[in-house]
Amino acid sequence: MPSLSLPTQPAEPRPPATRRPASVKHLPVNLFASVMGLAGLSIAWRQASRDFELSPVMADIAGHLALVVFALLAVSYLIKAIRHPGAVLAEYRHPVAGNFFGTITIAMLLLSTVLTAMNQMLAILFWTVGAIFTIALCFAITGRLMRGKIDIAHAVPAWFIPGVATLDIVVAGGAMPMAWAHEINMFALAIGTAIALLFFTMIMSRMIHHEPLPASMIPSLLILMAPFEVGFLAYTNFTQHIDTFAGLLFYVGLFIFLAVAPKVFRRGVPFASGWWAISFPMAALALASLKYAAYTQAWPMRVIAAGLLGLLSLAIVVLFAKTIRILLNGQLLAG
């Protein structure tokens, strides 16, 4: 028996999807990683100008740009905190995004190095405030993890940011003139090393035994080399010399970069503010390679250092241009 059916009206076309209006409410905290990248670029070019007699112009440009971007982001995020405190709190409590609050304190630490050539007192202020908040955030994030029942899927490279940020205290504070800075640096070096070892084991276990990272988090894979390259910089700044152990740290980080880079720099990974996560690990690698090349005086190492500095410079230019584009078209703050 044939089935009976009511006549249907043709489906009306759906209205095109509309993007939510841009708002400071959607300003992502991970955008402070751009300051880390720009400051790291400035420090790397400053190192190159000292060791290889290059012009310091690039260091000055990147350093001033880092200061401007930090000021703009700091004011904008403060406005977000005042107008939308719930959004900030939700971001902080997020098991992954919350780790990116460490980019604010790391940015302050790196800017203290940039400011050393401009204003010593301001540099000391930035380093002191950055060190205090870095240690406080490290305790807060570690305490949150120690409450237990953490989903292993949340053990991602971003975990390194607030913990290993303590190593950046030493990276920026090795030349601080205060007598008490030495003990702060030793404390930070000890804590950063312990956390780096623990987190590296946990993160690698999660990546080997569980689902791969989503596409939006692929750029953060480069953070895996950060503990080794930042560790190299912290260790050599604290001891004031380069030895075999420092060389081992450098080469492990270089190996991780070479292993992970093909997974990051490929088609199909959409651009978002999270791409800035590649900038400071690359800056740390370039800076470490410059220092190691100056120590070894071997021409292959000098070639590698020059190549990494060029790659870092290109990456920062591309990231900056793409970020300006998504800011102007409203995508960055659309949520």
Side-chain angles (χ1 to χ4, degrees), residues 206-230:
R206 173 254 185 266
M207 295 184 65
I208 292 171
H209 299 293
H210 296 271
E211 293 296 320
L213 294 177
S216 62
M217 297 185 67
I218 291 298
S220 69
L221 284 172
L222 285 189
I223 300 177
L224 290 172
M225 69 176 175
F228 301 97
E229 300 305 338
V230 177

Side-chain angles (χ1 to χ4, degrees):
M1 180 177 178
S3 60
L4 298 177
S5 60
L6 295 175
T8 59
Q9 297 292 331
E12 294 184 2
R14 294 181 178 180
T18 57
R19 181 183 295 160
R20 287 184 289 177
S23 169
V24 72
K25 177 182 180 180
H26 307 301
L27 177 67
V29 70
N30 63 15
L31 203 55
F32 279 92
S34 62
V35 182
M36 295 167 54
L38 289 166
L41 178 66
S42 174
I43 297 168
W45 271 99
R46 186 76 61 191
Q47 183 74 33
S49 68
R50 285 197 298 263
D51 294 338
F52 302 105
E53 299 181 355
L54 298 177
S55 171
V57 173
M58 280 295 297
D60 294 336
I61 293 174
H64 284 89
L65 187 57
L67 289 167
V68 171
V69 172
F70 178 78
L72 292 174
L73 287 177
V75 171
S76 299
Y77 206 82
L78 180 60
I79 294 173
K80 174 180 176 176
I82 295 171
R83 293 183 179 178
H84 310 284
V88 174
L89 188 60
E91 199 169 18
Y92 174 74
R93 289 176 173 173
H94 192 278
V96 176
N99 295 285
F100 283 94
F101 277 83
T103 60
I104 301 176
T105 64
I106 298 174
M108 294 189 68
L109 292 169
L110 297 179
L111 287 177
S112 72
T113 300
V114 173
L115 286 166
T116 299
M118 306 177 190
N119 188 309
Q120 181 69 18
M121 291 304 298
L122 195 56
I124 292 174
L125 176 63
F126 262 67
W127 182 81
T128 302
V129 175
I132 291 171
F133 280 101
T134 295
I135 293 171
L137 183 62
C138 179
F139 275 111
I141 296 295
T142 303
R144 186 166 71 181
L145 293 175
M146 292 178 68
R147 287 200 295 265
K149 297 184 179 180
I150 299 296
D151 188 346
I152 191 61
H154 295 154
V156 294
W159 269 20
F160 279 128
I161 297 173
V164 181
T166 54
L167 292 175
D168 286 293
I169 294 175
V170 194
V171 172
M176 286 293 152
M178 305 84 72
W180 50 266
H182 178 271
E183 296 306 315
I184 297 296
N185 285 329
M186 182 176 291
F187 174 79
L189 183 61
I191 299 304
T193 301
I195 291 178
L197 291 173
L198 173 63
F199 281 10
F200 187 80
T201 303
M202 296 175 65
I203 293 168
M204 289 303 297
S205 176
R206 173 254 185 266
M207 295 184 65
I208 292 171
H209 299 293
H210 296 271
E211 293 296 320
L213 294 177
S216 62
M217 297 185 67
I218 291 298
S220 69
L221 284 172
L222 285 189
I223 300 177
L224 290 172
M225 69 176 175
F228 301 97
E229 300 305 338
V230 177
F232 169 92
L233 297 172
Y235 175 76
T236 55
N237 276 10
F238 187 79
T239 62
Q240 292 298 305
H241 72 273
I242 296 176
D243 55 19
T244 302
F245 178 69
L248 294 176
L249 289 174
F250 168 74
Y251 279 118
V252 172
L254 179 63
F255 169 78
I256 292 175
F257 172 75
L258 295 175
V260 171
K263 299 179 181 296
V264 175
F265 300 109
R266 59 181 175 83
R267 294 183 180 274
V269 182
F271 180 79
S273 60
W275 264 95
W276 278 102
I278 75 171
S279 62
F280 182 63
M282 291 183 64
L285 176 63
L287 179 57
S289 67
L290 288 166
K291 292 187 70 172
Y292 194 64
Y295 166 73
T296 63
Q297 292 297 315
W299 71 262
M301 194 63 246
R302 294 169 70 94
V303 171
I304 291 173
L308 290 172
L309 181 60
L311 184 61
L312 168 66
S313 303
L314 177 62
I316 295 295
V317 170
V318 172
L319 289 172
F320 195 82
K322 285 182 174 289
T323 302
I324 293 297
R325 185 178 69 180
I326 64 173
L327 173 63
L328 295 179
N329 67 21
Q331 182 182 346
L332 179 63
L333 300 179

